[in-house]
Amino acid sequence: MFVRFVHLEVKPECWDEAVALFRQTTFPLLEKEPGFMRVILTGERSGKAMLVTMWQTPEHHHAYEASGEAEKLTEPFREMFAAPPRAESHPVVFDREF
């Protein structure tokens, strides 16, 4: 499994709009990506947020990144960001559900 973390800073006045846009457009598109497993959006009205996506393999994640889809999905949010998103990715070294 491979995980991508995107640190986000949304303008507080855009918070509700950004969350709605994510639910309506971004999630349905991510869901169709090969190897996509899960997404978690965390945050609060102050605008601090983190988007976590989980992929079956590093190859699935890298194919998604190389396809340019991540940039396309980010574009509708550009005016809502207070700062550019910062992404980092890591292989999962341990995972256990309870």
Side-chain angles (χ1 to χ4, degrees), residues 58-78:
E59 292 78 20
H60 285 113
H61 169 261
H62 296 309
Y64 167 72
E65 289 288 317
S67 73
E69 287 302 310
E71 277 298 313
K72 287 181 194 173
L73 292 178
T74 302
E75 190 56 39
F77 296 91
R78 292 271 181 227

Side-chain angles (χ1 to χ4, degrees), residues 23-70:
R23 286 182 177 173
Q24 294 165 5
T25 63
T26 306
F27 176 69
L29 293 172
L30 277 172
E31 207 172 24
K32 296 176 185 176
E33 289 294 322
F36 174 75
M37 295 175 59
R38 186 174 183 175
V39 63
I40 301 169
L41 177 62
T42 68
E44 45 194 56
R45 291 189 177 279
S46 68
K48 300 286 184 187
M50 183 178 289
L51 178 67
V52 180
T53 55
M54 297 177 191
W55 303 85
Q56 289 176 354
T57 67
E59 292 78 20
H60 285 113
H61 169 261
H62 296 309
Y64 167 72
E65 289 288 317
S67 73
E69 287 302 310

Side-chain angles (χ1 to χ4, degrees), residues 9-12 14 17-19 21 76-83:
E9 191 172 335
V10 177
K11 295 175 185 171
C14 298
E17 181 184 0
V19 171
L21 184 62
F77 296 91
R78 292 271 181 227
E79 296 299 316
M80 296 180 207
F81 291 144

Side-chain angles (χ1 to χ4, degrees), residues 1-7 50 52-58 61-62 86-94:
M1 189 178 344
F2 203 76
V3 180
R4 179 176 187 255
F5 301 92
V6 182
H7 303 270
M50 183 178 289
V52 180
T53 55
M54 297 177 191
W55 303 85
Q56 289 176 354
T57 67
H61 169 261
H62 296 309
R86 296 179 330 275
E88 58 184 87
S89 304
H90 304 281
V92 174
V93 295
F94 182 79

